[in-house]
Amino acid sequence: QVPKLPVLGINNNNLEERPYLQQQYVCQRITHTDMFALTALPPGVDKAEWLASNTVAFFKHINLFSSALSEICTPSTCPSACGPGNTVYVWTDDHGRKLKCSAPLYFDYAMSYIQELLTDEDVFPTKAGSVFPTGFVFLVQKVFLLFFRTLAHIYGSHYRETLALGLHPHLNTLFTHLTLFCRQHALLEPEDTEPLQDLITALGRQG
């Protein structure tokens, strides 16, 4: 069961302009590698090991991409952490308290939380012969939900800046890879991906 991080105010009838759905942008990627082959569990590889290595790789890529937009995404430009369709994300702290915070603070919490997990030898073991903990997949699901929300915010709030920087092919490639990996390994629920389901469908048509 995927952990439920609170979502407020999804409005599927929102008719705001979504430039990332325009065909001249949707078709752009930095590679046309077979993403299904890239995300599938290779023969003979332990599934937990595969999830762990990909979690580390996605963290590096998404953190790098977010860093490129750090001067654009500020508490004044983004007073709340939102995605497309009036989706607003709230952070839940270690005591279960829901904190409505700015986008940069939300995603700082998210990346710090993920980094703590990745460097915890009890959660992401690196020594030969170590065993992954019970509930490891649950934690990976939570991490990928945070990855998805990070990219959803970029698409929803900073896509024009991404275009101006020429980073949209990188963003499409990263998002396609992420969503296919999640689908292959059942890491996200349909309700989690709903704010960008139109984009997932559009990218899927590109093959």
Side-chain angles (χ1 to χ4, degrees), residues 77-159:
T77 61
C78 302
S80 62
C82 56
N86 293 335
T87 309
V88 177
Y89 304 125
V90 294
W91 186 256
T92 303
D93 68 13
D94 294 338
H95 304 290
R97 292 176 300 205
K98 294 173 184 173
L99 309 173
K100 195 170 181 182
C101 50
S102 69
L105 185 56
Y106 180 95
F107 296 112
D108 184 54
Y109 284 150
M111 292 300 146
S112 297
Y113 167 79
I114 296 167
Q115 180 139 31
E116 281 183 25
L117 286 181
L118 295 182
T119 54
D120 186 339
E121 193 67 30
D122 292 330
V123 181
F124 280 80
T126 57
K127 297 182 177 67
S130 298
V131 179
F132 286 90
T134 303
F136 176 71
V137 173
F138 175 84
L139 288 172
V140 170
Q141 288 172 325
K142 187 173 181 181
V143 166
F144 274 83
L145 180 55
L146 293 171
F147 286 159
F148 182 89
R149 289 180 172 187
T150 304
L151 297 187
H153 177 70
I154 293 171
Y155 272 111
S157 299
H158 301 297
Y159 191 71

Side-chain angles (χ1 to χ4, degrees), residues 46-63:
D46 177 73
K47 181 165 184 178
E49 290 276 5
W50 184 240
L51 291 176
S53 63
N54 278 274
T55 302
V56 172
F58 275 116
F59 174 73
K60 289 177 180 175
H61 287 298
I62 291 171
N63 211 17

Side-chain angles (χ1 to χ4, degrees), residues 9-22:
I10 291 180
N11 176 6
N12 291 326
N13 297 318
N14 194 299
L15 298 177
E16 67 184 352
E17 185 186 0
R18 298 185 179 195
Y20 51 80
L21 293 177
Q22 293 178 24

Side-chain angles (χ1 to χ4, degrees), residues 145 148 179 182 188-198 200:
L145 180 55
F148 182 89
T179 51
C182 289
L188 294 177
E189 298 283 356
E191 66 197 57
D192 299 325
T193 58
E194 178 58 34
L196 279 175
Q197 188 54 52
D198 48 8
I200 294 170

